[in-house]
Amino acid sequence: MLEIVPLPAFRDNYIWTLRDGAKAAVVDPGEAAPVKAYLAKEKLTLVAILATHHHPDHVGGIAELIAAHNVPVFGPRGEPIPELTHPVGQGDRANIEELGASFDVLDIPGHTRAHVAYYGLGSLFCGDTLFACGCGRVFEGTPQQMLESLSKLAALPDATKVYCGHEYTLANIQFARNVDPGNQALEAREKSVRKLRDAGQPSLPSTLGEERATNPFLRCAEPAIVESANKYLGARVADPIRVFAAIREWKNKS
Ligand SMILES: [Zn+2]
């Protein structure tokens, strides 16, 4: 039975570890030390590495890990990650035979040019594109691309577990409450996430059902979000791309 375990890295990154029996794979190892320590403590053999995008806090540990373990490294074909052995993109599958696990690769550009997500076994590894109650900054793509990528993820089933790259949930919820003040699901989410964080627990994974109900970046066509974007802009816009761009800019400044 596959288990998914978060390894905290840096200040607020998670390296997601997939383990079954004595084998493990890691997603986005920004640093090697926490992975090496966990593998040693749990007596696990590393069998694969998956990368969602090229930012150093997601791939910085790969070189050191493959120096010790000769394993396949999956990652986006269109990004500068020199350690990739399996460059992938939309329509490809990342097969990890040793874990009996296989993931569909989805192209989700916007945060970076060729960011990918891995989807399988009811789980989604989405790096810095979709966050719990938020989304990544648009660094290398356009707001339109980012919104399309988020919409692609939002179309997955409600029960899909969302494993994103950072513990940003509480701050994201606080921003979301300004944008979507009447949303009771959001208020309830703040209470439950605060409880988890106060107990030192990760707020992740969330589910896509929760995200669709509370994440303002997935709700750009909702009247309350359009209204807030208009207030922020001091202008009337209704196009979801412009609404998305407005709340993304607002979040950058908040
Ligand atoms: Zn990033």
Side-chain angles (χ1 to χ4, degrees):
M1 171 84 189
L2 192 77
E3 242 189 291
I4 303 175
V5 179
L7 304 183
F10 304 113
R11 215 165 68 102
D12 49 31
N13 284 70
Y14 288 124
I15 301 168
W16 292 105
T17 302
L18 289 57
R19 59 177 288 182
D20 193 1
K23 309 279 164 78
V26 290
V27 182
D28 285 353
E31 55 181 347
V35 177
K36 288 170 123 177
Y38 184 76
L39 295 175
K41 179 165 90 71
E42 300 288 319
K43 300 187 170 47
L44 295 167
T45 306
L46 188 68
V47 296
I49 296 172
L50 287 83
T52 61
H53 67 294
H54 71 89
H55 285 158
D57 63 321
H58 294 253
V59 300
I62 295 178
E64 194 179 331
L65 289 173
I66 59 174
H69 311 270
N70 181 21
V71 299
V73 182
F74 298 88
R77 185 174 290 129
E79 297 201 352
I81 307 170
E83 298 88 357
L84 293 188
T85 59
H86 292 60
V88 292
Q90 183 73 34
D92 291 332
R93 285 179 78 78
N95 276 312
I96 311 173
E97 272 172 39
E98 293 90 337
L99 295 177
S102 182
F103 297 93
D104 286 319
V105 179
L106 309 174
D107 280 345
I108 48 167
H111 177 68
T112 57
R113 192 178 321 117
H115 196 305
V116 295
Y118 300 94
Y119 171 63
L121 306 168
S123 297
L124 174 71
F125 298 92
C126 50
D128 288 354
T129 299
L130 175 64
F131 288 130
C133 214
C135 75
R137 287 177 186 249
V138 182
F139 286 127
E140 296 175 13
T142 63
Q144 180 172 356
Q145 272 181 328
M146 189 68 165
L147 185 59
E148 282 168 7
S149 295
L150 291 169
S151 305
K152 187 191 270 190
L153 299 181
L156 296 171
D158 265 352
T160 305
K161 289 186 173 139
V162 178
Y163 295 91
C164 55
H166 290 268
E167 180 61 65
Y168 289 159
T169 316
L170 209 47
N172 285 345
I173 290 173
Q174 280 152 6
F175 173 74
R177 290 198 61 184
N178 293 329
V179 181
D180 197 1
N183 187 336
Q184 289 182 351
L186 194 50
E187 213 172 300
R189 192 175 186 185
E190 182 170 21
K191 285 201 186 92
S192 65
V193 168
R194 197 177 287 285
K195 220 181 211 173
L196 284 170
R197 299 303 296 146
D198 285 348
Q201 301 288 318
S203 64
L204 302 167
S206 65
T207 66
L208 264 180
E210 278 180 276
E211 296 309 327
R212 266 196 293 269
T214 56
N215 188 324
F217 296 99
L218 301 186
R219 297 165 54 77
C220 292
E222 292 290 322
I225 309 290
V226 175
E227 173 72 24
S228 290
N230 285 345
K231 265 192 207 149
Y232 170 76
L233 290 170
R236 295 224 61 87
V237 301
D239 171 26
I241 298 167
R242 295 188 64 191
V243 171
F244 171 79
I247 59 173
R248 188 55 267 183
E249 183 190 288
W250 181 3
K251 176 77 168 40
N252 291 349
K253 289 180 179 169
S254 71

